Amino acid sequence: MRSPPPPASQQQQQQQQQQPHNSYGNPYQPSPAQGGAPAFPQGFNNFMSDPTAQMGFQMGKSALTHGQDYMETRINRYVSIPALKHYFNVSNSYVLRKILLVLFPWRHKPWSRQQARLTTSTTSSASGQIQQQQYASTWLPPRDDLNSPDMYIPVMSLTTYILLSTVLAGLRGSFHPELLGSITTTAILIVVFEIVLLKVAMYILNISNESQLLDLVAYSGYKFVGIITTLVLCEILSGGNGTGGMIGWSVFTYTFLANAFFLLRSLKYVLLPDSSSDASLRSGAGSYTLARAQRNRRTQFLFVYSYVVQFLFMWILSREEAAATTVAKAAVGSGAVEGGRFGGVGAGGGGGGGAVGAGAKMAAGGR
């Protein structure tokens, strides 16, 4: 005689009741591990610990790093990324104060840029005391110096000018797809020509200083602030008639004079550097008369650039929207003329066919 088996516990009975439900459930659902946390497949863990997979990850990471270094090297040949970051180091308060300075520069003082002194090297004695320190001066970023040129306002002003001109053309009902490309091309060509003009003048006048190319690009782009102000105020005050008329010329004259005065004061340290730091103005490079004549020529060029050249460029840019609109209308009109020409040819063909048909009917009647 065998003794009966021991009775099953309540937990085992519940597991046996749940087994049929799990067998007909989702076959891809992983079974819960201890503690209720889902367990990863065993093959995934083996793949992560596989030496071949780790070697592939290392090769991919190395290729990505070398590609990034190669791109940075190619870009740094033309534009220095750290220097470019310096020109975009701005704040909201700086942008607001700089725009106000460009539009209202009459009572601003001083105009000189501020410098920061950085420690480059330190010499210590055997006892640990500092004997000598060497310092280097660098320009403060735009965030900390209102007179420092930046690239944020010129870039955003150029973009805003292009979009604003097309929007105004759309409000007048004269928008054309060619308008966007025409305005963009004209604005960029004017900026490039202005930079080339400055570099050539600095070479002819023998101006050597620590100013970089991005400084000149920044100062060349500040004119778009005045142009945007001119377009907006003329559109509001003249009732949509654009920059023409007395109101348009009055607003343009003020913004032009404000921009010219701003450039005259700001570019003084670029085109008229201190005689102590300019080799061509020292006593060893020539007499006092030669230094004075050289400075007079630079002063004359600065005046011509700030007033004559800027007047021409700002007038072209403020009238570019109207000129491009005229071109777009001419393009649309030529398209309509071409369409009418083809329509006339079709009508003439239809008329000729009708005449031939009438002649055929008359011949049949004569028969």
Side-chain angles (χ1 to χ4, degrees), residues 5 20 37 41-42 79 82 85 135 144 159 167-168 183 215 229 232 237 241 256 259 275 290 306 331 341:
Q42 187 67 24
V79 179
K85 291 181 179 180
Y135 299 93
D144 302 324
T159 307
V167 168
L168 293 179
I183 294 177
D215 288 354
T229 305
V232 173
L237 299 178
N241 294 326
F256 154 70
N259 180 75
S275 60
L290 178 61
S306 300
R341 183 182 303 173

Side-chain angles (χ1 to χ4, degrees), residues 10-315:
Q10 184 177 1
Q11 183 177 2
Q12 293 178 354
Q13 293 178 0
Q14 292 178 357
Q15 292 179 357
Q16 293 177 0
Q17 293 177 0
Q18 292 178 357
Q19 285 179 357
H21 298 283
N22 292 335
S23 60
Y24 293 100
N26 186 4
Y28 299 100
Q29 182 178 3
S31 59
Q34 294 181 358
F40 290 100
Q42 187 67 24
F44 181 79
N45 297 328
N46 295 335
F47 174 76
M48 294 300 297
S49 60
D50 189 7
T52 306
Q54 294 182 1
M55 183 181 298
F57 286 137
Q58 292 294 333
M59 291 179 62
K61 183 178 180 180
S62 177
L64 182 62
T65 303
H66 286 295
Q68 185 177 1
D69 295 339
Y70 175 77
M71 290 299 298
E72 291 181 356
T73 304
R74 300 290 294 181
I75 294 176
N76 287 332
R77 290 179 58 184
Y78 304 98
V79 179
S80 177
I81 300 301
L84 194 61
K85 291 181 179 180
H86 170 85
Y87 288 90
F88 283 92
N89 186 11
V90 299
S91 60
N92 295 332
S93 60
Y94 167 81
V95 173
L96 179 60
R97 291 185 298 132
K98 191 72 170 187
I99 293 176
L100 293 177
L101 176 61
V102 174
L103 295 177
F104 307 99
W106 315 110
R107 304 183 62 180
H108 175 73
K109 289 183 180 180
W111 289 92
S112 60
R113 296 179 59 180
Q114 301 179 9
Q115 293 183 346
R117 191 174 66 171
L118 302 178
T119 304
T120 58
S121 63
T122 303
T123 304
S124 302
S125 61
S127 60
Q129 297 180 355
I130 299 176
Q131 292 183 348
Q132 185 179 4
Q133 289 183 346
Q134 295 182 359
Y135 299 93
S137 298
T138 180
W139 300 115
L140 288 178
R143 177 188 293 268
D144 302 324
D145 184 12
L146 182 61
N147 296 323
S148 177
D150 69 284
M151 291 293 295
Y152 177 80
I153 295 179
V155 170
M156 297 305 296
S157 299
L158 175 61
T159 307
T160 305
Y161 163 74
I162 296 172
L163 297 178
L164 178 63
S165 300
T166 55
V167 168
L168 293 179
L171 293 177
R172 299 188 184 101
S174 58
F175 176 77
H176 195 270
E178 297 178 355
L179 183 63
L180 186 62
S182 174
I183 294 177
T184 305
T185 304
T186 304
I188 294 178
L189 287 179
I190 284 180
V191 172
V192 172
F193 179 77
E194 186 173 350
I195 299 303
V196 173
L197 178 64
L198 282 174
K199 296 298 290 185
V200 171
M202 293 175 66
Y203 175 77
I204 295 176
L205 297 176
N206 195 18
I207 300 175
S208 59
N209 51 24
E210 300 178 356
S211 177
Q212 298 181 3
L213 177 63
L214 295 178
D215 288 354
L216 303 179
V217 175
Y219 285 120
S220 175
Y222 285 124
K223 68 169 65 67
F224 291 100
V225 176
I227 296 173
I228 292 172
T229 305
T230 302
L231 293 178
V232 173
L233 291 181
C234 290
E235 187 70 18
I236 295 175
L237 299 178
S238 64
N241 294 326
T243 55
M246 184 62 66
I247 297 178
W249 276 105
S250 300
V251 177
F252 172 78
T253 302
Y254 175 81
T255 55
F256 154 70
L257 292 176
N259 180 75
F261 186 82
F262 169 78
L263 290 179
L264 188 66
R265 295 298 186 181
S266 299
L267 289 177
K268 183 178 180 180
Y269 82 96
V270 177
L271 300 180
L272 301 175
D274 189 10
S275 60
S276 60
S277 60
D278 194 352
S280 63
L281 298 180
R282 295 175 189 169
S283 58
S287 62
Y288 174 76
T289 305
L290 178 61
R292 185 176 182 180
Q294 185 78 353
R295 189 175 182 86
N296 290 336
R297 286 195 295 268
R298 296 180 181 183
T299 304
Q300 293 172 3
F301 171 76
L302 179 60
F303 178 83
V304 171
Y305 170 76
S306 300
Y307 285 90
V308 179
V309 176
Q310 292 301 314
F311 176 83
L312 178 62
F313 288 160
M314 291 185 67
W315 183 81

Side-chain angles (χ1 to χ4, degrees), residues 336-352:
V337 170
E338 292 294 334
R341 183 182 303 173
F342 285 111
V345 171

